[in-house]
Amino acid sequence: MRAGKPTHPVFPFCRQEWKIPAILLVLLFFATIAWGIHLVREHRDQLNMKIFGVLTTDVKPEAPLAATGVAMSAPDINPVRVAVVNIAGVNKAAAGKQASYVSAGSGVIVNPKGFVVTAMHLIQDLAEIQVRVQTPMGPRQYPARMVKVVPEHDLALLKMVSQEIFPYLAIDTVSPIKVGDAVQAWGDPLGTESVQRVGTVDGVDLLEPVRVRDMNLTHLLRTNAVFHWAQNGGPLVNRESHLVGIVLAMEDPAGFIRGYAVPANVLVNHFQDVVTFARKGLSVSAKPDPAFSQPGPPVDRAPRLADQWWQKVRGMLNVGLGKHVVMAPDASTSPPSAAVASDPVHGQSQTLWGYTVSDFLGLLFLGFISGISGGMMTMGGGIIKVTGLMWFFGYGVVLVRPVAYITNIFMYGAAMLRYHRQGLLRFDFCKPLIPWAMVGMVGGYFIGNVMSKTAIQWMLGLFAFLLGIKMLVEIAESRGESGEEEEDRRPASGFLAMLQRFFGTRMDDHSMPAAIRWRHPSVRHGLLGLPMGVISGILGITGGVVEVPLQRYIARMPLRNAIANSATLVFFASIVGTIVAMVHGVQSGSFETQTPLVMAMILTPGAFAGGMVGAWLTSVIPLNMLRWVYAVLMFVIAVRMFMP
């Protein structure tokens, strides 16, 4: 045998035995297709639904929203049913008690991408939110994130974390609602069977306040179509199966449930900035519901196999069923009001990029205020921005954090360039810290995804409190320096000295230790870069209140240089945070791509303008006065975040 000659012959591909496996693979493929067709035909009667039917009469199939439409059911199933969902989840455990899985009420899908509108008071006590949807294969459960709340109207917008296409209801904001109009209220107690009743509009109480928990609600409708606690948060529809309101089931002093509803134009007015609604006359239309001809009690149906499975699971999870109703005013104090609804406050109004003019200007102003804070004190603008979006606008953390990341790129990118021109930025020092800050940002983002809203609020309150303390320490330092020569100043002692070590503006041999030396530089770099990234990732704030003291204490960095270095780390970490948040949020179905981008585009110009004004104010107003204002603002934010 010659050297180099292979011991086994090598045949070309065409001579190998590939034909038999290929033929078997093709046969298996067609067999799978045939089996799938057989299953669909065999179980069509059991499913009792026509898949992907479109409930439209005046819209072309290629219309953006009408292409999905409302999944058309068989004649004996009301088409509204497929858009009604059950709201459930794990409630917040009280002191000494164990958290339990509860069914809180109902909701309605208003967009094919899985946006659900419900009553806010239903989700207030839920640490985790689950939405149960009726599908052709039976009930299915999806996790949901809170996108936005409107406390003054007891409304909440949820987003199911999914990229699936869902059936939904179109909204009627065109036809005037009159006393005597026929309506139907729906609810889903357990995610298995629905409750519904046909009734009429008894009153259009647009100006009469109704007490719900600690809120006074106005602009409500009153209807006798509500009789069950599970209708809370569910849809109120008209004869054409269009959504005209969100149901509120309230209990009067005698124990009877009375029905109210938040009109559809109110929820469109407040949620059109984050979701596209299908409206009557614009996209989706439905046929009149024959059930309106005969008002009566809810229709009972034999449970399907999937429903029986859900009931077994419910028993295993020990689902608790609260009544979830609130006190309603006595009937004698609620006489019928005007015959036709007329709401000048929430009527049709002009919008800018999907926002009402007032909301658009409000976001600009919020960016302006956060920019002023950054221009005056070089930190704290992120806390004002994040808490403002949550507090005044009602946005959920799922939207607030990517918006904060995007705006931080522009704000701190400009700050980094400014510090570089001033010679304050030490990029060689920052270079090994940047990867750690990026890793911390990614980790913090995913940690924040599993944290509750309450925990994030408490963390925001803690950092606001620390910033307020910092301002008080700086005020004390400035008063101690007034009228004293440099050589006559004595170092502070006791508790004040400890605060100055971390929060003060002066750095001398008495208040700061020598630079800490580490055997492994990577450990030092991690301690300097990782905490700031984690805090920024969880909360969306810059983390300067953590990073600046770390650089001063560990690296003994001068204050102005520490601030410049901190801005640099925030800039690079925010780039990674934006990419991760946008990709993960869109792919998981947590939000739509354009929503955080548009919001950041509105905030950023105001932040730039505020930064210039803040820098100017520091030259015309005594610095201690600005510090006092800033400290009071931080303490107010802290108190608000610590409140339930």
Side-chain angles (χ1 to χ4, degrees):
M1 183 175 63
R2 296 180 181 178
K5 186 177 180 179
T7 57
H8 300 284
V10 179
F11 297 103
F13 177 75
C14 59
R15 296 177 58 187
Q16 295 187 30
E17 296 295 333
W18 60 273
K19 296 180 181 180
I20 294 178
I23 293 173
L24 292 176
L25 183 63
V26 172
L27 291 176
L28 288 174
F29 172 77
F30 284 107
T32 303
I33 298 297
W35 179 249
I37 295 174
H38 165 73
L39 289 178
V40 171
R41 291 180 176 178
E42 182 72 18
H43 297 282
R44 180 179 296 172
D45 294 336
Q46 295 180 17
L47 296 176
N48 203 23
M49 299 186 73
K50 296 179 181 178
I51 313 298
F52 300 123
V54 180
L55 187 59
T56 57
T57 58
D58 59 349
V59 185
K60 296 180 180 180
E62 61 268 17
L65 285 178
T68 56
V70 179
M72 183 70 168
S73 59
D76 62 336
I77 296 182
N78 193 299
V80 179
R81 174 67 186 103
V82 292
V84 180
V85 299
N86 171 256
I87 308 296
V90 179
N91 63 359
K92 299 176 183 177
K97 296 183 179 180
Q98 186 177 2
S100 59
Y101 197 81
V102 299
S103 175
S106 303
V108 57
I109 305 175
V110 295
N111 182 282
K113 295 184 178 181
F115 286 91
V116 176
V117 177
T118 185
M120 187 190 75
H121 73 268
L122 298 180
I123 66 171
Q124 281 182 310
D125 297 329
L126 295 181
E128 299 177 11
I129 304 174
Q130 301 288 335
V131 175
R132 294 169 175 171
V133 183
Q134 287 293 326
T135 72
M137 303 303 295
R140 186 174 178 184
Q141 184 167 285
Y142 297 86
R145 300 279 182 82
M146 191 272 288
V147 178
K148 187 177 181 180
V149 295
V150 186
E152 61 268 28
H153 295 291
D154 195 26
L155 289 174
L157 179 67
L158 309 177
K159 175 67 173 69
M160 287 184 279
V161 183
S162 172
Q163 288 187 313
E164 298 183 27
I165 300 300
F166 296 90
Y168 61 97
L169 289 187
I171 296 180
D172 187 352
T173 58
V174 179
S175 305
I177 302 174
K178 303 182 297 294
V179 172
D181 283 352
V183 290
Q184 188 175 24
W186 285 78
D188 188 341
L190 300 173
T192 55
E193 292 296 324
S194 64
V195 293
Q196 68 272 356
R197 172 181 285 178
V198 176
T200 58
V201 175
D202 293 339
V204 186
D205 305 319
L206 294 177
L207 299 178
E208 177 185 346
V210 176
R211 187 75 173 176
V212 176
R213 287 196 173 183
D214 56 347
M215 303 172 291
N216 286 320
L217 304 185
T218 58
H219 305 284
L220 295 180
L221 308 176
R222 192 167 68 245
T223 175
N224 57 13
V226 180
F227 74 100
H228 195 280
W229 67 266
Q231 291 171 300
N232 240 325
L236 186 72
V237 300
N238 58 14
R239 288 181 177 273
E240 290 75 31
S241 297
H242 287 121
L243 181 67
V244 296
I246 299 298
V247 174
L248 298 176
M250 303 186 184
E251 189 177 50
D252 62 18
F256 296 101
I257 293 180
R258 299 173 57 197
Y260 289 83
V262 182
N265 62 311
V266 177
L267 64 97
V268 170
N269 185 274
H270 287 284
F271 293 146
Q272 62 185 344
D273 55 339
V274 290
V275 62
T276 301
F277 290 96
R279 306 195 204 181
K280 177 183 178 182
L282 297 178
S283 54
V284 177
S285 177
K287 296 179 180 179
D289 183 2
F292 278 91
S293 60
Q294 198 68 242
V299 180
D300 295 327
R301 295 187 178 89
R304 297 170 296 185
L305 294 177
D307 298 334
Q308 297 175 4
W309 180 84
W310 264 111
Q311 292 172 4
K312 292 180 180 179
V313 173
R314 178 171 57 89
M316 294 173 62
L317 293 176
N318 191 24
V319 174
L321 294 179
K323 290 183 67 176
H324 296 282
V325 293
V326 290
M327 294 301 295
D330 186 73
S332 61
T333 64
S334 304
S337 57
V340 180
S342 176
D343 185 2
V345 177
H346 297 92
Q348 299 296 325
S349 59
Q350 293 183 345
T351 60
L352 297 172
W353 294 350
Y355 293 80
T356 62
V357 175
S358 59
D359 286 345
F360 187 91
L361 296 178
L363 287 174
L364 275 177
F365 183 72
L366 177 61
F368 182 74
I369 295 299
S370 65
I372 288 179
S373 173
M376 290 190 310
M377 303 299 173
T378 69
M379 62 179 65
I383 289 182
I384 294 176
K385 176 175 55 185
V386 170
T387 56
L389 289 173
M390 296 174 61
W391 186 1
F392 291 105
F393 292 91
Y395 293 115
V397 179
V398 66
L399 275 181
V400 169
R401 291 193 300 161
V403 170
Y405 301 157
I406 297 170
T407 54
N408 286 342
I409 292 176
F410 295 98
M411 293 177 60
Y412 287 90
M416 182 181 66
L417 294 176
R418 184 173 66 250
Y419 291 135
H420 177 68
R421 288 194 299 266
Q422 295 174 353
L424 298 174
L425 175 60
R426 298 186 179 180
F427 193 74
D428 290 339
F429 173 83
C430 296
K431 191 182 300 184
L433 308 186
I434 291 174
W436 287 99
M438 291 180 173
V439 171
M441 171 67 80
V442 175
Y445 170 77
F446 287 104
I447 292 173
N449 282 343
V450 299
M451 290 179 62
S452 66
K453 179 184 176 182
T454 302
I456 291 178
Q457 283 185 342
W458 275 67
M459 288 187 66
L460 284 170
L462 174 62
F463 282 99
F465 180 76
L466 293 177
L467 283 174
I469 294 294
K470 173 178 172 58
M471 291 300 104
L472 296 182
V473 171
E474 292 184 5
I475 292 172
E477 283 184 342
S478 64
R479 289 182 176 179
E481 295 173 359
S482 60
E484 295 182 4
E485 298 295 334
E486 181 72 25
E487 60 271 12
D488 295 333
R489 295 176 189 162
R490 288 181 296 179
S493 59
F495 184 68
L496 180 59
M498 184 184 68
L499 292 177
Q500 286 180 349
R501 177 175 299 179
F502 294 98
F503 300 108
T505 58
R506 290 190 297 149
M507 184 177 68
D508 51 41
D509 293 335
H510 299 283
S511 61
M512 294 294 297
I516 301 176
R517 299 184 181 276
W518 303 86
R519 177 177 300 179
H520 301 288
S522 58
V523 176
R524 179 173 180 265
H525 298 156
L527 289 175
L528 287 171
L530 192 64
M532 187 280 299
V534 173
I535 296 300
S536 298
I538 294 176
L539 304 178
I541 64 176
T542 61
V545 68
V546 173
E547 181 62 23
V548 173
L550 281 176
Q551 290 194 20
R552 297 185 65 208
Y553 187 80
I554 295 178
R556 206 182 181 193
M557 187 67 61
L559 178 63
R560 293 171 63 85
N561 298 102
I563 293 173
N565 297 338
S566 175
T568 303
L569 296 182
V570 171
F571 170 75
F572 285 100
S574 297
I575 293 176
V576 175
T578 298
I579 296 173
V580 172
M582 293 298 297
V583 172
H584 178 264
V586 173
Q587 287 187 350
S588 65
S590 297
F591 53 77
E592 297 181 79
T593 306
Q594 70 275 12
T595 304
L597 293 177
V598 171
M599 201 180 305
M601 289 175 63
I602 300 173
L603 284 166
T604 301
F608 273 115
M612 291 186 291
V613 172
W616 172 75
L617 287 175
T618 57
S619 63
V620 298
I621 298 179
L623 187 57
N624 272 357
M625 181 180 297
L626 295 177
R627 287 168 173 164
W628 273 113
V629 173
Y630 189 82
V632 171
L633 178 61
M634 288 297 106
F635 287 132
V636 169
I637 291 176
V639 172
R640 179 61 181 85
M641 290 296 103
F642 289 145
M643 293 173 59

